Amino acid sequence: MVVELERISTGIQGLDSLIEGGIPRGFTVLVAGNPGTGKTILSSHFLYAGLKSGEAGIYVSFSESKQQFYANVNRLGLDFVKYEKEGKFLFLDFASFTKEGIGDALEEVLASIREINAKRIVVDSFSAIAQAFENQNEARIALQVILGKMTRAEGVTNLLISEVPIGSDTVSSGIEEFVVDGIVKMEHGRTNSSPMVVRVLKMRGTELDREPHVLTITKSGMSVFEKQPILFSFPVSEERLSSGIQNLDEKMSGGILKGTTTALIGASGVGKTTFSFQFIAEGVKRGERGIFCSLEESPDEIRRSAKRYGYDIEDLEKKGLTILSWIAENQNPDEFMSFLKEEIERLQPVRLTIDSLSAFEHLHKDEMYIITKRLVSMVRQYNLTTILTILTSQSAGINLTDLGISSLFQNILMFRYVEAEGRMKRSMLMLKMRATPHDESILEFTISDGKGIEVRDAMENYIGILTGVAQRLQKEADDFSEKEQTIKAQREEARRKRMEEFEAREREITKQEEAEYGQRREVLEKKIKEIKEEKKERGNGSS
């Protein structure tokens, strides 16, 4: 007959999930770690969880004073003073103990356990106790007999803190790890995005997750971020969702299959963000909640871009659009997935965009496959139709990424810049559309204010598109050249006619001007003749 172990919470949800829901009652667990990794905080959460559930607890300190302890836990919002006044919590201060007084100290601990009927106890640190014994055998006996068998008989669950020097690979002095029922190791992480990590190395009668898990400490206390499970079976649907891109849906059998993940791969500025926002906005207009999660831009920058493409962003947000922003360089991917999972469960969206997955590449390039696989597994279990953008450098040929993650997506669209006839154009190629008959042409698309992305015709009259510099096919080039010559001749003929008309007009004007000049001359000559005759007549009269 298998006896089911009663488990008690550590006070940290993410840690409980690594050990089947909690520590088996009556166990002695070693919490080992480098200085500053949060051993005292973890132990404080453990005691506080017990106090809140009605279990009295004791903190036995051989390293810090009661005043220091309260100063630390008060910052986390843990009110131990309240429970101390109620007689449910004791802080035993042995910071100034001597080797000779270790026996009396342990006896006082056992007496205090019985006095308040304590069910949880923390000893900080066992390293100080071990130093009080002459040899390892005596220390082993103290640990096994006094802190193990006797407290277990009382139904007490113990946490023993052990200091691990920085740079050391061990978890203890070599005594505790063989006697205790469980071992939790805490270490400093490599970057700010992974400040500390925790691993459960041992827990009797428990199926363990031994992977290193990121933990953080904030003013709200300690959080452990469990890794998202990798699943194999997901909901399957025949329903298709509109892409939101003009003229594209008919080229992919009516839209994107619901519940699938689509990767948009391309160089910076080629249109991935615009495409993915239009996808979310289209869903919101159809009454489908959507999350646009950016790892590169702030919410206000996204709103500004959306307005440029003609969207009433305030109206979209009222109807079900949620814009999230996350700085990938400051947080660990596990923390991001935990945050995103909470938002998904809270908002219940139908569509999701993550722009851009490549933001994690700078710090986690070697882990991108497993990060992506966990993320895809998480969104698919919620039957979300998801678009993830991926930045890649443009080179000749089909260059997906060098991250080896393309097999994880059901659909892949590749975007490219193309130089053609002295202009920079944009092209789109549907490389992969699982369970979807789709157009295999290289499609030209444009991005314009007020409209966003619009798909044009296939670039059938060009070769060399995937090199980045396209040329027209020979026949098309000849036709194009002939057409150009015709247009040139037509323009020349039109110019010649305009010149002839201009010259004829000038001649006509000249004739008119000459006629008018002749008339004016005749009038003037007649006038002069009349004046001369008048003078002559006046002269004859005077004589």
Side-chain angles (χ1 to χ4, degrees):
M1 181 178 176
V2 178
V3 178
E4 189 71 24
L5 295 173
E6 180 188 355
R7 296 183 182 273
I8 60 174
S9 174
T10 62
I12 303 169
Q13 182 178 353
L15 183 56
D16 287 346
S17 65
L18 306 182
I19 49 177
E20 295 187 20
I23 300 171
R25 184 177 295 280
F27 271 29
T28 297
V29 177
L30 181 69
V31 180
N34 305 134
T37 52
K39 301 182 297 298
T40 300
I41 294 176
L42 186 154
S43 302
S44 300
H45 277 295
F46 167 74
L47 284 179
Y48 204 74
L51 292 171
K52 290 196 298 181
S53 63
E55 297 179 350
I58 301 175
Y59 197 99
V60 182
S61 176
F62 291 90
S63 56
E64 67 178 4
S65 67
K66 182 177 182 179
Q67 183 178 1
Q68 290 173 315
F69 174 80
Y70 278 133
N72 291 331
V73 297
N74 286 341
R75 293 176 58 192
L76 304 175
L78 306 181
D79 187 7
F80 279 90
V81 174
K82 168 189 172 183
Y83 292 102
E84 184 179 32
K85 291 178 179 179
E86 295 175 358
K88 296 178 181 179
F89 173 71
L90 287 177
F91 185 94
L92 301 181
D93 185 356
F94 297 124
S96 58
F97 88 107
T98 62
K99 293 183 179 181
E100 291 74 20
I102 186 63
D104 293 337
L106 294 177
E107 286 297 329
E108 184 176 344
V109 170
L110 293 173
S112 298
I113 291 173
R114 296 187 177 98
E115 177 186 346
I116 66 171
N117 192 28
K119 296 301 179 183
R120 302 190 185 204
I121 180 173
V122 172
V123 178
D124 180 14
S125 71
F126 185 78
S127 304
I129 298 177
Q131 293 173 2
F133 293 92
E134 296 295 332
N135 57 60
Q136 289 190 347
N137 286 335
E138 291 181 357
R140 184 190 294 270
I141 292 171
L143 176 62
Q144 192 168 7
V145 176
I146 299 176
L147 295 176
K149 291 184 178 180
M150 292 183 67
T151 54
R152 183 175 296 179
E154 302 283 345
V156 178
T157 308
N158 313 285
L159 294 191
L160 307 182
I161 296 177
S162 176
E163 293 287 346
V164 177
I166 294 177
S168 174
D169 293 329
T170 62
V171 295
S172 65
S173 63
I175 304 171
E176 308 96 300
E177 56 193 277
F178 295 103
V179 178
V180 295
D181 303 295
I183 300 175
V184 176
K185 186 178 182 182
M186 307 171 76
E187 303 170 333
H188 288 291
R190 296 178 290 112
T191 63
N192 286 339
S193 66
S194 302
M196 288 162 286
V197 295
V198 61
R199 287 189 297 164
V200 181
L201 303 181
K202 174 182 178 181
M203 192 69 66
R204 290 190 177 117
T206 302
E207 184 176 344
L208 299 181
D209 182 346
R210 289 185 171 84
E211 284 195 84
H213 289 72
V214 174
L215 67 86
T216 59
I217 300 172
T218 65
K219 62 182 181 181
S220 300
M222 178 176 287
S223 298
V224 174
F225 299 99
E226 56 185 305
K227 296 185 181 298
Q228 295 299 320
I230 297 175
L231 307 176
F232 183 73
S233 180
F234 304 100
V236 176
S237 174
E238 297 295 330
E239 181 183 352
R240 293 186 180 274
L241 304 184
S242 173
S243 65
I245 308 300
Q246 187 171 334
N247 303 325
L248 182 60
D249 288 350
E250 61 264 30
K251 299 181 184 300
M252 54 172 67
S253 299
I256 301 172
L257 277 174
K258 185 177 182 179
T260 60
T261 55
T262 302
L264 305 184
I265 301 176
S268 177
V270 75
K272 304 184 300 297
T273 301
T274 305
F275 185 111
S276 55
F277 186 87
Q278 286 184 225
F279 169 74
I280 295 295
E282 178 68 17
V284 173
K285 289 192 294 184
R286 292 168 178 257
E288 302 164 358
R289 287 181 174 274
I291 296 176
F292 186 94
C293 181
S294 177
L295 304 182
E296 296 182 337
E297 294 182 290
S298 69
D300 285 341
E301 288 174 311
I302 296 163
R303 293 185 181 101
R304 180 183 61 191
S305 297
K307 290 178 181 178
R308 175 187 169 191
Y309 297 129
Y311 289 105
D312 184 341
I313 190 67
E314 290 82 7
D315 184 60
L316 288 176
E317 289 186 289
K318 289 178 182 177
K319 291 180 177 178
L321 167 66
T322 300
I323 300 175
L324 305 176
S325 190
W326 186 270
I327 303 176
E329 288 76 10
N330 289 350
Q331 282 85 23
N332 186 270
D334 293 336
E335 184 176 359
F336 167 69
M337 280 183 257
S338 178
F339 158 77
L340 186 59
K341 183 177 181 179
E342 290 179 1
E343 292 300 300
I344 290 170
E345 291 179 347
R346 180 176 71 88
L347 298 169
Q348 299 292 308
V350 175
R351 303 186 185 209
L352 167 69
T353 281
I354 300 174
D355 179 42
S356 143
L357 190 61
S358 302
F360 288 116
E361 184 179 349
H362 303 295
L363 293 177
H364 308 281
K365 186 172 184 178
D366 294 338
E367 305 165 48
M368 284 302 294
Y369 179 84
I370 193 65
I371 290 171
T372 306
K373 192 161 188 175
R374 291 186 189 280
L375 183 57
V376 168
S377 182
M378 182 188 78
V379 299
R380 291 199 67 194
Q381 79 180 70
Y382 289 102
N383 201 29
L384 283 172
T385 308
T386 306
I387 286 182
L388 302 98
T389 68
I390 300 172
L391 177 67
T392 186
S393 56
Q394 181 159 310
S395 58
I398 297 177
N399 177 28
L400 296 180
T401 71
D402 58 356
L403 302 175
I405 60 177
S406 57
S407 63
L408 302 177
F409 306 106
Q410 287 73 54
N411 314 311
I412 299 177
L413 275 63
M414 186 176 75
F415 293 3
R416 292 182 64 89
Y417 290 111
V418 181
E419 180 187 349
E421 300 167 10
R423 292 179 56 221
M424 189 61 71
K425 300 185 177 184
R426 290 178 169 91
S427 68
M428 177 192 307
L429 176 60
M430 288 180 273
L431 288 176
K432 175 182 177 183
M433 296 291 293
R434 188 163 293 170
T436 300
H438 61 278
D439 194 321
E440 297 180 348
S441 304
I442 298 176
L443 305 171
E444 181 182 358
F445 70 93
T446 59
I447 303 177
S448 60
D449 289 352
K451 294 182 179 179
I453 290 181
E454 294 179 278
V455 173
R456 300 292 181 86
D457 296 330
M459 302 180 74
E460 296 175 343
N461 299 330
Y462 295 90
I463 59 173
I465 296 174
L466 296 182
T467 67
V469 181
Q471 296 179 339
R472 285 185 176 272
L473 294 171
Q474 187 60 47
K475 180 179 181 304
E476 295 296 331
D478 292 342
D479 292 344
F480 181 73
S481 179
E482 183 180 343
K483 185 177 180 180
E484 276 195 327
Q485 291 297 325
T486 301
I487 293 173
K488 185 176 181 182
Q490 290 172 345
R491 287 175 178 171
E492 182 63 28
E493 178 64 18
R495 188 189 68 80
R496 185 185 63 78
K497 287 183 177 180
R498 286 196 300 272
M499 285 299 296
E500 288 178 352
E501 291 173 356
F502 177 75
E503 290 172 352
R505 180 62 177 165
E506 278 196 326
R507 286 194 297 270
E508 183 180 344
I509 292 173
T510 301
K511 288 179 180 180
Q512 290 176 352
E513 289 177 342
E514 288 176 349
E516 291 174 356
Y517 175 74
Q519 291 174 356
R520 289 196 299 272
R521 185 179 179 86
E522 288 178 1
V523 171
L524 182 60
E525 288 176 348
K526 183 178 179 181
K527 185 67 175 177
I528 293 172
K529 185 178 179 181
E530 289 175 352
I531 294 172
K532 285 181 178 181
E533 289 178 353
E534 184 179 347
K535 285 183 177 180
K536 185 177 179 180
E537 289 177 358
R538 285 200 300 267
N540 292 333
S542 63
S543 61

